[in-house]
Amino acid sequence: MLPWRLATATASGVVGRRTGLAGRRTSWSPLQRAPARWAQTFYEPDERGGYRSFIEYENWYDRFRLSQIKARYRWYLRGFRTLGQELRKYARLDPMEYLRHGDVRMVHDLRNAAEHDSWIVTADSDYDQGRSWGEFSITQHQTGVFSGILNQEPVKDGHTKAAGYVNLRAPFVLRSFDRIDLHDWQGYTHMVVKLRGDGRTYLLNLNVPGTFDVTWADTYNYPLYTRGGPYWQIERIPFSKFFFGHKGRIQDIQGALDLQSVRNIGITLADGVDGPFRLEIEYIAVEYDENYTEEFAYEMYGVVDKYH
Amino acid sequence: MFSMVAPQRRVLYPAWRLTRRAFHRAPTVFAVGKDVFSWRPPSDLTLRQDAEVVRKTAYFDEVKKDLRDKNAFRHAIGSFLARDNVRRAGHVEFIYAALKRVQAFGVHKDLETYKDIMNIFPKGRFVAHNMWQVEFMHYPRHQECGLDVLCEMEKHGVVPDFEMYHIVLNIFGERSIVMRKLKRMNYWFPKFRNANPYPIPFFLPNDPTEKARLALERMCPDVRKEVTVFQTEDISEALDKTWIASLMCPDQRKLISEHVSDKPLYVDGEYSVHLREEFLKYFILRDEPQELLDAGPTPAPEPYYELDCRPDWDLFFKVENPKEYAPLPTLHEQEDGNILAICITGTSSQDSLRSWLSCLARTNPRIAQVPIHFRIRSIQMDTEIITEEQAARENEASGFISTKKYDDVLIH
C-alpha cells in the first residue's frame, strides 16, 4: 500500500518554516487535531493518528492552476529520472558493502545543500493544544538550527491537561515517485550526532512503523543529552540502548531495534522546562564499532505475573 | 474561556480523493465533518468537582506567601485530616488541590511530601477483592487521582521508594493501575537517573554565582578549565555593580597572546544555557580568523564509498610518505571561530561585559590592545499571539515562506 499521505508531507518541505503561535500562520487553514476520544481507544484513523496536515486543506480546484499542472509535470519527470537511476543501479550489481571498524555513514549531513529541504517542525500550537513554537533554519556555516520557545501552558478548552512539545522531523528517504524507503543500517552499531545544544535534554526518535494500525506509532527512543555552550559535541549512542515506545509511552515488552526497518529520525523537545531552546545539528550518521557487541541493553527475561 | 474555542470547520475534499480513500481505509473516515473534535459544555458533575477543587485550595492559599514551605504544606494536609479523619470526605478534590500547589510551596522535588499526599487516601477501602473488580477498575476516580500523584512525581523526576510501594499497596492493593504505574516507574527511572554524561545536581545551589560556575564547567570539554568569579565593585569605571563568572583555559590564554593585534575580537551573545529548570545567558569572546571566513562554510567530506573506490596513484607508484605535518588544533579552535573566553554576568548588560574585558585584560594584556566588537542580540522570549497581518508582514520581512511560495509545491 502506498503511504501517499506521508508522501504529501515531504512535498511541503521548506527550510525555515515557522510553526506554532496561531498568529504566525499566514493564510492556510488551521490544522486539525484528533478528537479526544481517539486517544482513549485503539482506533487509528490514519498514520498520523488523526492529526491532519495543512496541505490537505487546499481547495480541490487549486489542482487545476497552471503552477500545479507544471509542478505535476515536473514531478513525473523527476520520478522517471530517479526510476531510471534506480534501475541502472540494480542492473550494475554492486558488490555487497562490507564494514570495517570505525566506518561511518552519513544519514543526514547538513553540509550538503541537498539535505536542507523537508525538515519539518511541529508543535502543540499547530493543533491549538498549546503555545510552543519552533523553527528549523540553516546557518551560514551549513548547519541546521532547531530553535524556538517551549511553553507548557495548556489551552483552556476544558479537555487539554498538559502541553509543551516541539518536534523536528528529518526528511524521509525517497525512492522514485516519492515512495518512502526505509533506512538500511544493518551491521552498524552506533548512531552519531554532531550537535551543539543548550544544556537541555532532547529525545531522539527512530520511527519503525509496522503494517498494522497498532504498530503505526511504534518508535525507538533515547534521550539526547547536550552539554550547552559553544563547543561542538559528538554524541555516540549505541543502537542497543534505544528503548521501545508507542506514542511516547515506554512499552512493557521490549526488544532490540531492527536496523533495517527505521523509516525516519525525529528529535523531540518536551523536557518540562519553559523557555527558549536551540539545538544546532551538523550531521546525523551511523557508525560501526566492532568491539561493541551488546544487542539490547535492557532485561529480556519473561515475567511470571503478566499483570505487572 | 468558552470564546477561545474555534468554531467547527468543515473540510472540502475533491471527489476522486474520497473514492481513492474508500479503497484504503474504513468508511468512518468519510465522516470528517461529524467526527471532528467539538467542544461540549462540561457536565454538572465535572463542574461541581472543579468547584470543589478550587474550594479545597483554600487550605493552601490561606498560608502567607513568605511562610510557604514544607512544614506549612504538611500543616495544611494535617488541618484537612483533622476536620474529618474518619470519612475524609472530598479527599480526591483535596489531593488535586495539593498537586496544584506543590510548586508554590517548593516541595515538588520532595519524596516525603508525595508520601504525605498519597497517605490522604483511606486505606483498605479501594483494594479490589476479586477479578471482576480488577477488570472493571475498582473506584476509577480514586485510581486516576492516585495516577495523577505519580504523574506529578514523574514530571519532577522523583523516584518512589519501598515505603511508597507499601502505601499504595495498602490503599489500592497489588492489582490496580496505580501499582502498575508505580512498578514501571521503579523499573525505568533508576536506569536513566545517572544516564546523563554531563550531570547536573538534582538540587541546584541557590547562589547565582555557583549556578553560573556549574553551567560554565559543564559546557567546556577542556579538563584544564578555570572558572573565576569577579566582582565589578573592584573596577572604578563599572556602572553595574554585579558579579561575573568567567571561564578561561591555558590554551585560550595562548591563543589570545598569539592574536594579531590589528584584527578585531568579538563579544558574541547572548546565548542560552539550561541547568535543569534554570535558564542562564552566556557570552563568548570570539576570534574569527580571516582564513576561516574566506574558506566559507565547512566543506562536506566525500562519502566513504567514493573515497574507498578511488585509486591513489601516489600509493601505487611510490612509497607512502607523510605529506605534511600540522599541529592538532586545540579544543577551542572550532570550525566557526576560536572561542577565547566565556562568561555569565549577573545583569547580562553591555556594561558588565566591558567590566569582564577589563578583568580579563589584567592577565591577558593583549585584550587591551586589540579592537573589540560587541555583537549582542537578545534572545526572543515573547510568546504573545500576534495578528495575521502582523505575522504576514513579519514573515515577509524575515524571509520566511508565505503561501505564495507554495504555488509550485505539488498538492497530492
Side-chain angles (χ1 to χ4, degrees):
Chain A
M1 189 180 86
L2 180 70
W4 61 272
R5 182 190 294 277
L6 287 164
T8 56
T10 55
S12 68
V14 174
V15 176
R17 182 169 90 81
R18 260 191 194 200
T19 184
L21 259 183
R24 290 191 193 278
R25 277 188 231 118
T26 47
S27 76
W28 60 76
S29 315
L31 308 191
Q32 203 161 18
R33 69 168 142 169
R37 65 175 170 281
W38 285 357
Q40 297 160 7
T41 60
F42 290 113
Y43 173 59
E44 289 289 346
D46 54 16
E47 289 92 336
R48 295 172 63 95
Y51 286 79
R52 313 279 169 184
S53 165
F54 65 87
I55 207 104
E56 295 189 20
Y57 288 83
E58 298 284 343
N59 295 319
W60 63 270
Y61 45 81
D62 283 345
R63 284 151 198 260
F64 301 106
R65 286 200 313 254
L66 188 62
S67 62
Q68 278 300 303
I69 292 167
K70 280 180 184 167
R72 170 80 51 177
Y73 173 72
R74 278 199 301 273
W75 184 80
Y76 275 111
L77 213 62
R78 198 173 61 237
F80 279 114
R81 203 180 301 134
T82 40
L83 182 68
Q85 286 167 2
E86 281 165 13
L87 291 176
R88 236 170 287 146
K89 192 185 160 197
Y90 289 135
R92 205 166 60 206
L93 288 174
D94 281 340
M96 254 169 62
E97 187 183 21
Y98 61 94
L99 295 176
R100 288 176 304 187
H101 178 70
D103 277 356
V104 174
R105 190 208 287 174
M106 290 292 160
V107 180
H108 296 296
D109 188 354
L110 285 153
R111 290 168 292 188
N112 290 330
E115 285 278 348
H116 291 176
D117 283 348
S118 302
W119 291 74
I120 286 187
V121 180
T122 41
D124 49 15
S125 57
D126 283 345
Y127 304 99
D128 293 340
Q129 285 179 328
R131 285 155 165 269
S132 313
W133 66 269
E135 65 185 327
F136 187 74
S137 48
I138 304 293
T139 65
Q140 53 175 350
H141 294 283
Q142 304 294 93
T143 53
V145 173
F146 175 39
S147 60
I149 293 179
L150 192 77
N151 192 341
Q152 292 193 94
E153 185 192 340
V155 290
K156 290 172 181 147
D157 59 355
H159 294 267
T160 309
K161 284 171 89 173
Y165 77 86
V166 189
N167 185 67
L168 173 67
R169 205 216 62 192
F172 290 113
V173 183
L174 292 182
R175 287 187 286 166
S176 52
F177 299 107
D178 285 358
R179 288 171 298 162
I180 294 174
D181 205 356
L182 302 179
H183 289 288
D184 185 6
W185 300 333
Q186 194 66 43
Y188 290 93
T189 56
H190 286 73
M191 167 143 274
V192 187
V193 188
K194 183 170 177 187
L195 60 95
R196 186 151 66 169
D198 59 351
R200 284 184 176 224
T201 302
Y202 297 79
L203 193 73
L204 199 56
N205 312 314
L206 305 178
N207 293 346
V208 283
T211 310
F212 301 109
D213 56 355
V214 286
T215 59
W216 281 346
D218 284 358
T219 317
Y220 277 83
N221 307 304
Y222 196 75
L224 191 62
Y225 298 106
T226 63
R227 71 187 316 155
Y231 298 95
W232 284 102
Q233 69 184 79
I234 299 177
E235 283 290 295
R236 281 171 89 246
I237 303 169
F239 284 125
S240 68
K241 288 202 174 186
F242 280 83
F243 52 84
F244 180 53
H246 177 86
K247 295 192 175 181
R249 298 275 176 192
I250 301 186
Q251 295 300 295
D252 289 348
I253 301 170
Q254 292 283 327
L257 168 67
D258 177 13
L259 289 169
Q260 286 183 313
S261 62
V262 177
R263 187 163 72 174
N264 193 19
I265 304 174
I267 293 174
T268 306
L269 176 72
D271 64 347
V273 181
D274 286 339
F277 66 92
R278 182 189 161 89
L279 177 73
E280 196 170 347
I281 302 167
E282 188 171 307
Y283 60 74
I284 299 173
V286 286
E287 186 186 342
Y288 172 56
D289 182 350
E290 71 177 0
N291 297 321
Y292 194 86
T293 51
E294 188 178 57
E295 285 176 14
F296 195 57
Y298 309 103
E299 290 93 328
M300 290 294 294
Y301 51 77
V303 284
V304 179
D305 188 348
K306 297 285 187 198
Y307 185 80
H308 290 300
Chain B
M1 176 182 162
F2 304 147
S3 61
M4 285 183 65
V5 181
Q8 189 173 320
R9 301 176 191 94
R10 278 200 67 83
V11 187
L12 277 177
Y13 284 109
W16 66 80
R17 185 140 153 215
L18 291 177
T19 42
R20 187 158 59 159
R21 263 180 183 209
F23 296 121
H24 284 305
R25 52 182 60 92
T28 42
V29 182
F30 281 114
V32 171
K34 273 183 249 162
D35 216 347
V36 289
F37 176 85
S38 59
W39 188 83
R40 279 185 306 252
S43 65
D44 280 355
L45 181 68
T46 317
L47 284 177
R48 258 187 284 131
Q49 281 170 341
D50 288 352
E52 194 58 34
V53 172
V54 171
R55 213 169 299 138
K56 289 285 194 301
T57 48
Y59 280 96
F60 300 96
D61 291 344
E62 65 194 15
V63 182
K64 280 182 189 164
K65 278 200 175 161
D66 48 340
L67 297 176
R68 287 179 183 178
D69 60 352
K70 189 178 167 182
N71 275 338
F73 197 86
R74 299 187 74 166
H75 186 77
I77 294 177
S79 61
F80 169 73
L81 293 180
R83 191 159 292 188
D84 178 11
N85 200 9
V86 181
R87 288 174 55 248
R88 299 191 182 177
H91 63 271
V92 168
E93 287 79 12
F94 181 78
I95 287 170
Y96 278 120
L99 290 182
K100 267 164 66 180
R101 290 292 178 263
V102 277
Q103 265 181 308
F105 280 68
V107 289
H108 53 285
K109 287 187 170 185
D110 183 36
L111 180 59
E112 299 295 317
T113 306
Y114 289 109
K115 284 180 193 164
D116 287 343
I117 294 175
M118 196 62 106
N119 260 325
I120 298 172
F121 283 113
K123 311 288 182 297
R125 177 76 191 172
F126 310 137
V127 179
H129 290 289
N130 56 53
M131 65 183 224
W132 300 105
Q133 288 178 342
V134 172
E135 194 62 22
F136 289 100
M137 203 167 156
H138 206 36
Y139 283 95
R141 175 118 177 108
H142 300 78
Q143 289 207 39
E144 273 172 15
C145 182
L147 268 189
D148 284 337
V149 176
L150 292 180
C151 284
E152 193 74 15
M153 291 172 68
E154 180 178 355
K155 191 175 148 193
H156 297 117
V158 183
V159 188
D161 65 351
F162 204 55
E163 194 188 341
M164 193 70 165
Y165 164 77
H166 279 288
I167 294 169
V168 173
L169 184 69
N170 287 332
I171 298 165
F172 297 108
E174 193 72 46
R175 304 278 158 140
S176 60
I177 58 166
V178 188
M179 184 59 90
R180 290 178 79 152
K181 169 92 183 165
L182 182 117
K183 287 192 172 178
R184 278 154 182 72
M185 283 168 79
N186 266 344
Y187 177 78
W188 284 106
F189 284 16
K191 291 188 191 302
F192 296 100
R193 192 151 177 79
N194 298 312
N196 194 338
Y198 320 108
I200 318 167
F202 191 61
F203 293 103
L204 287 176
N206 285 326
D207 185 9
T209 57
E210 284 303 308
K211 274 180 210 158
R213 184 190 289 275
L214 270 178
L216 288 175
E217 282 177 353
R218 188 166 176 251
M219 69 173 67
C220 182
D222 194 335
V223 285
R224 292 185 294 171
K225 57 200 160 194
E226 298 158 16
V227 178
T228 326
V229 179
F230 303 108
Q231 300 291 337
T232 51
E233 285 154 9
D234 311 340
I235 304 162
S236 54
E237 62 266 27
L239 300 174
D240 281 5
K241 300 300 176 198
T242 179
W243 52 268
I244 300 162
S246 165
L247 179 135
M248 192 174 261
C249 309
D251 283 342
Q252 289 173 320
R253 283 213 183 85
K254 193 153 167 276
L255 283 173
I256 292 177
S257 64
E258 287 167 358
H259 182 72
V260 192
S261 56
D262 58 331
K263 297 277 171 57
L265 295 180
Y266 301 95
V267 175
D268 279 4
E270 57 198 37
Y271 299 109
S272 64
V273 63
H274 285 260
L275 276 182
R276 291 197 190 277
E277 62 274 10
E278 288 292 328
F279 163 60
L280 307 169
K281 294 167 182 172
Y282 69 91
F283 298 86
I284 311 171
L285 180 66
R286 190 204 285 275
D287 173 22
E288 284 182 354
Q290 195 55 45
E291 54 270 22
L292 258 183
L293 296 180
D294 292 343
T298 325
E302 282 192 79
Y304 155 73
Y305 186 79
E306 301 289 322
L307 278 176
D308 214 35
C309 293
R310 185 179 308 153
D312 189 347
W313 295 111
D314 278 2
L315 276 183
F316 188 77
F317 284 115
K318 52 191 177 188
V319 195
E320 181 180 12
N321 283 322
K323 285 175 183 138
E324 198 178 316
Y325 286 110
L328 275 175
T330 62
L331 275 172
H332 310 285
E333 290 168 74
Q334 299 276 307
E335 288 148 22
D336 45 358
N338 302 343
I339 295 150
L340 302 178
I342 314 173
C343 85
I344 296 175
T345 74
T347 54
S348 300
S349 64
Q350 200 151 336
D351 183 70
S352 64
L353 293 178
R354 271 193 216 97
S355 312
W356 173 50
L357 290 177
S358 60
C359 288
L360 287 185
R362 290 177 199 160
T363 47
N364 305 280
R366 180 69 87 182
I367 287 181
Q369 299 158 6
V370 294
I372 290 179
H373 293 181
F374 283 77
R375 297 190 297 197
I376 311 291
R377 53 171 184 79
S378 56
I379 299 169
Q380 190 197 352
M381 298 283 288
D382 63 320
T383 49
E384 86 274 13
I385 286 181
I386 49 178
T387 61
E388 296 242 329
E389 300 84 63
Q390 269 179 321
R393 239 181 288 126
E394 195 183 282
N395 282 352
E396 266 173 38
S398 57
F400 284 116
I401 50 99
S402 64
T403 39
K404 278 177 192 163
K405 284 194 187 167
Y406 271 109
D407 263 7
D408 55 345
V409 171
L410 185 60
I411 309 168
H412 277 258

